[in-house]
């Protein structure tokens, strides 16, 4: 069984298996610098206008999904959701122009030391998602070569 809830019978007692976690789902919170609204908007517009190029950079980091959120009641906060596999390379090690600009925007917009990694309490993912991720997690090199993993 790749994922889901299975039942093992041991001495007539049902025992659920340990959860399979082919990915790590993490919510990050950052404070935004006061007066950084224009730079933040420019950053978001840049990512939107370079969507395909940005998605293409995720493979080397083993990021399968990334989303940024703001909340009306917290205008100077940024929430960042990522679904990430193991073995990825850090964005800081990239030579890609988009990644370099992304890091520069982060420096211009985010308050240094404000990063909070939220505690993930539970992740629900249907089997087809788990199987798709498992298919692409053999090695970073394999994931970058497999068309279904890009």
């Amino acid at each position: 069984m790749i994922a889901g809830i299975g039942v093992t019978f041991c001495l007539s007692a049902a025992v659920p298996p340990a959860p399979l976690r082919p990915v790590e789902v993490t919510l990050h919170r950052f404070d935004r610098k006061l007066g950084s609204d224009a730079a933040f908007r420019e950053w978001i517009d840049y990512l939107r206008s370079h969507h395909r190029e940005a998605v293409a950079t995720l493979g080397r980091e083993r990021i399968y999904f990334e989303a940024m959120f703001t909340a009306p009641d917290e205008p100077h906060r940024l929430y960042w959701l990522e679904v990430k596999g193991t073995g990825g390379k850090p964005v800081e090690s990239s030579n890609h122009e988009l990644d370099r600009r992304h890091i520069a925007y982060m420096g211009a917009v985010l308050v240094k030391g404000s990063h909070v990694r939220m505690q993930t309490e539970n992740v629900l993912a249907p089997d087809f998602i788990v199987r798709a991720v498992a298919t692409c997690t053999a090695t970073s090199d394999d994931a970058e070569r497999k068309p279904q993993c890009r």
Side-chain angles (χ1 to χ4, degrees), residues 59-60 62 86-89 136-147 149-150:
R60 66 180 299 286
R62 278 292 182 78
T86 59
K89 298 175 179 114
C136 297
T137 57
T139 69
S140 294
D141 293 337
D142 286 347
E144 290 174 11
R145 284 192 298 248
K146 293 178 181 176
C149 300
R150 288 183 256 159

Side-chain angles (χ1 to χ4, degrees), residues 18-141:
L20 178 63
R21 299 185 86 181
V23 295
E24 185 177 318
V25 179
T26 308
L27 179 63
H28 304 270
R29 184 184 72 208
F30 298 89
D31 292 332
R32 289 178 32 211
K33 293 177 181 176
L34 294 176
S36 68
D37 292 348
F40 176 70
R41 197 50 33 218
E42 183 180 318
W43 179 16
I44 297 303
D45 291 344
Y46 177 78
L47 289 174
R48 286 180 179 160
S49 67
H50 293 82
H51 176 81
R52 288 193 187 280
E53 188 179 357
V55 169
T57 67
L58 298 178
R60 66 180 299 286
E61 298 173 55
R62 278 292 182 78
I63 294 178
Y64 300 108
F65 179 90
E66 183 177 275
M68 298 162 81
F69 300 86
T70 56
D73 61 334
E74 296 180 293
H76 292 288
R77 285 248 164 102
L78 175 67
Y79 291 87
W80 198 315
L81 176 69
E82 70 178 355
V83 178
K84 186 175 188 174
T86 59
K89 298 175 179 114
V91 68
E92 294 82 7
S93 69
S94 174
N95 290 323
H96 196 285
E97 175 63 22
L98 187 138
D99 286 333
R100 287 195 301 267
R101 287 187 70 169
H102 190 59
I103 291 167
Y105 278 124
M106 289 174 67
V109 171
L110 304 179
V111 174
K112 188 174 183 166
S114 69
H115 176 228
V116 176
R117 182 183 172 129
M118 304 299 194
Q119 176 67 41
T120 303
E121 298 293 343
N122 190 36
V123 175
L124 300 174
D127 289 347
F128 78 94
I129 296 289
V130 174
R131 282 192 302 270
V133 169
T135 298
C136 297
T137 57
T139 69
S140 294
D141 293 337

